[in-house]
Amino acid sequence: DGGITQSPKYLFRKEGQNVTLSCEQNLNHDAMYWYRQDPGQGLRLIYYSQIVNDFQKGDIAEGYSVSREKKESFPLTVTSAQKNPTAFYLCASRRAGGPYEQFFGPGTRLTVL
Amino acid sequence: AQRVTQPEKLLSVFKGAPVELKCNYSYSGSPELFWYVQYSRQRLQLLLRHISRESIKGFTADLNKGETSFHLKKPFAQEEDSAMYYCAPPGAGGTSYGKLTFGQGTILTVHP
């Protein structure tokens, strides 16, 4: 079964703790993305990666970090420096060539207690 | 920089009424745009892309270069169309397919 998986579905964190969200894809896509979705604010890009061992900041990268050691995996770490981490996080991937459709994971809802 | 703007955060219509979700873009180069949809409790998924000129679930979208718009239209809305809709460019174009910036999204509610 091909696609993108994210885990966990729900995540609770205490203030001051770092937490890592998993994103895996078996679509052989080169590009991967992390978005944050908040009510009334749509999708905002956190980080993206076009190739293994390379990634770029999106519009709201502060307080987040990523790695891209494998083509299939693009984990996102929400650090204690992120001031308002409670949100719904979406991972996506896309092929290098056209068509340029993005495929999305089911999302992780992070709640900071 | 590529930008898309969806001016309406919320849009409500009654079943059977026409619906139009607005999307405007500012682009360098040749534009290519998509509409994505997120139904309740489902993944965000592609609805349609302008280059294919397709109609999906009764929705169409025409790229108007003069008005720099890519509005999504359906002549007769159905209750199952209620969802969040995003307009999006594919990326920087060419061999650089990096940063994608979505529009702010429009929540469509179709009342019975």
Side-chain angles (χ1 to χ4, degrees), chain B residues 10 13 16 30-31 45 51 53 59-60 68 85-86 100 109-110:
Chain B
L10 301 171
V13 299
S30 180
Q45 59 189 289
I51 199 167
R53 297 182 178 276
F59 284 98
T60 58
T68 61
Y85 292 82
Y86 289 99
L100 266 82
T109 303
V110 181

Side-chain angles (χ1 to χ4, degrees), chain B residues 27-85:
Chain B
Y27 250 72
S28 55
S30 180
E32 186 178 344
L33 287 159
F34 300 82
W35 277 98
Y36 289 83
V37 61
Q38 189 176 29
Y39 300 105
S40 178
R41 302 185 187 279
Q42 292 188 31
R43 300 188 185 207
L44 192 60
Q45 59 189 289
L46 179 71
L47 179 62
L48 56 81
R49 67 200 81 186
H50 96 274
I51 199 167
S52 61
R53 297 182 178 276
E54 57 202 343
S55 173
I56 304 292
K57 298 184 177 181
F59 284 98
T60 58
D62 291 321
L63 186 68
N64 186 321
K65 293 184 181 180
E67 297 180 356
T68 61
S69 69
F70 187 53
H71 303 330
L72 184 68
K73 301 177 184 178
K74 185 170 183 176
F76 307 103
Q78 303 299 314
E79 290 179 68
E80 55 264 30
D81 297 328
S82 296
M84 170 74 93
Y85 292 82

